[in-house]
């Protein structure tokens, strides 16, 4: 394990027992057996470590997801398995790293779903825009859900995602077809 990974791994372990405010660079250095200057060679701050860790995270089973609800489910299972770090990050200045982690996976995989199902109806720019909109909305909603889990159940979100997505796609494709028909006249 290289020093960069060691620092990230140490922060993750410490986050299981301490709040982010209680975790100092000194504590990370002591726990990982590295020098303070080594920490600062790799990272500017603890938030920098969080961002780096989350943006490099691979989510298990992401490739097996074959629709939006399954994709959201896989990401939520990841969040559940890493609940302490995710919740603590959502409550910190590095909150955007969680949404970016979710967004990146939702966009990449979601774009494939849209292309497979609507590729004949939508052009590449429309596919990209719809994937961005869906990934942005879902990443924000998932972060909100994790911050206040009593408001809405995970199963309710998973159930409604496919209805919302299908309705949105029908509307976009319907509008696209109308525009194409008007152009032909």
């Amino acid at each position: 394990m290289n020093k960069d990974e060691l620092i990230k791994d140490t922060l993750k372990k410490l986050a299981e027992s301490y709040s982010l405010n209680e975790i100092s660079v000194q504590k990370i250095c002591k726990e990982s057996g590295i020098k303070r200057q080594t920490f600062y060679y790799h990272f500017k701050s603890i938030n920098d470590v969080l961002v780096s860790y989350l943006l490099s995270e691979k989510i298990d089973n992401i490739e097996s997801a074959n629709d939006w609800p399954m994709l959201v489910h896989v990401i939520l299972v990841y969040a559940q398995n890493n609940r302490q770090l995710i919740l603590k990050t959502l409550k910190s200045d590095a909150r955007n790293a969680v949404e970016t982690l979710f967004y990146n996976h939702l966009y990449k995989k979601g774009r494939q779903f849209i292309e497979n199902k609507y590729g004949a109806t939508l052009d590449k720019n429309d596919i990209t825009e719809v994937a961005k909109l869906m990934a942005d909305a879902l990443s924000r909603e998932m972060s909100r859900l994790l911050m206040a889990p009593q408001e809405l159940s995970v199963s309710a979100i998973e159930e409604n995602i496919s209805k919302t997505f299908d309705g949105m796609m029908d509307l976009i494709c319907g509008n696209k077809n109308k525009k194409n028909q008007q152009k032909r006249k």
Side-chain angles (χ1 to χ4, degrees):
M1 180 181 298
N2 66 36
K3 300 285 187 207
D4 187 71
E5 291 169 350
L6 177 62
I7 293 167
K8 290 189 274 189
D9 189 55
T10 302
L11 176 64
K12 183 180 178 191
K13 287 177 186 172
L14 289 170
E16 292 172 10
S17 304
Y18 300 98
S19 73
L20 291 178
N21 293 338
E22 296 173 312
I23 301 172
S24 64
V25 171
Q26 182 180 355
K27 195 174 267 190
I28 290 173
C29 292
K30 183 179 179 186
E31 187 72 25
S32 64
I34 63 167
K35 294 180 180 174
R36 190 175 185 87
Q37 61 205 86
T38 303
F39 177 93
Y40 287 113
Y41 176 79
H42 292 276
F43 300 101
K44 296 176 192 170
S45 66
I46 291 176
N47 280 348
D48 193 29
V49 178
L50 280 170
V51 170
S52 178
Y53 175 80
L54 289 170
L55 296 183
S56 66
E57 266 293 76
K58 305 291 182 232
I59 297 178
D60 292 336
N61 302 319
I62 202 95
E63 290 305 318
S64 66
N66 55 13
D67 60 18
W68 286 99
M70 176 56 100
L71 179 59
V72 169
H73 177 78
V74 167
I75 293 171
L76 289 174
V77 166
Y78 162 82
Q80 216 168 19
N81 292 340
N82 295 280
R83 187 167 180 78
Q84 290 300 317
L85 184 64
I86 295 293
L87 284 176
K88 289 174 183 177
T89 304
L90 283 170
K91 294 175 183 175
S92 77
D93 292 339
R95 172 194 172 98
N96 289 343
V98 173
E99 287 183 10
T100 302
L101 166 72
F102 294 164
Y103 176 90
N104 289 344
H105 289 286
L106 288 163
Y107 172 75
K108 181 182 175 191
K109 197 68 174 149
R111 193 175 194 296
Q112 291 173 1
F113 300 154
I114 296 166
E115 218 166 62
N116 291 343
K117 189 168 184 179
Y118 298 98
T121 309
L122 298 174
D123 62 34
K124 290 204 181 287
N125 289 336
D126 290 335
I127 291 170
T128 299
E129 287 307 309
V130 171
K132 286 179 181 177
L133 287 171
M134 286 297 291
D136 186 54
L138 291 174
S139 63
R140 289 174 193 268
E141 181 60 15
M142 289 167 59
S143 293
R144 187 191 68 74
L145 170 72
L146 291 168
M147 289 289 292
Q150 67 281 6
E151 286 184 32
L152 196 57
S153 72
V154 171
S155 61
I157 281 194
E158 290 173 354
E159 187 176 305
N160 289 318
I161 285 170
S162 113
K163 290 177 189 173
T164 303
F165 177 72
D166 288 341
M168 188 170 105
M169 290 308 298
D170 289 344
L171 181 66
I172 290 169
C173 290
N175 286 341
K176 188 79 169 174
N177 287 335
K178 285 180 189 176
K179 285 180 185 177
N180 288 338
Q181 289 172 357
Q182 288 173 350
K183 285 181 184 178
R184 290 183 203 139
K185 290 182 180 182

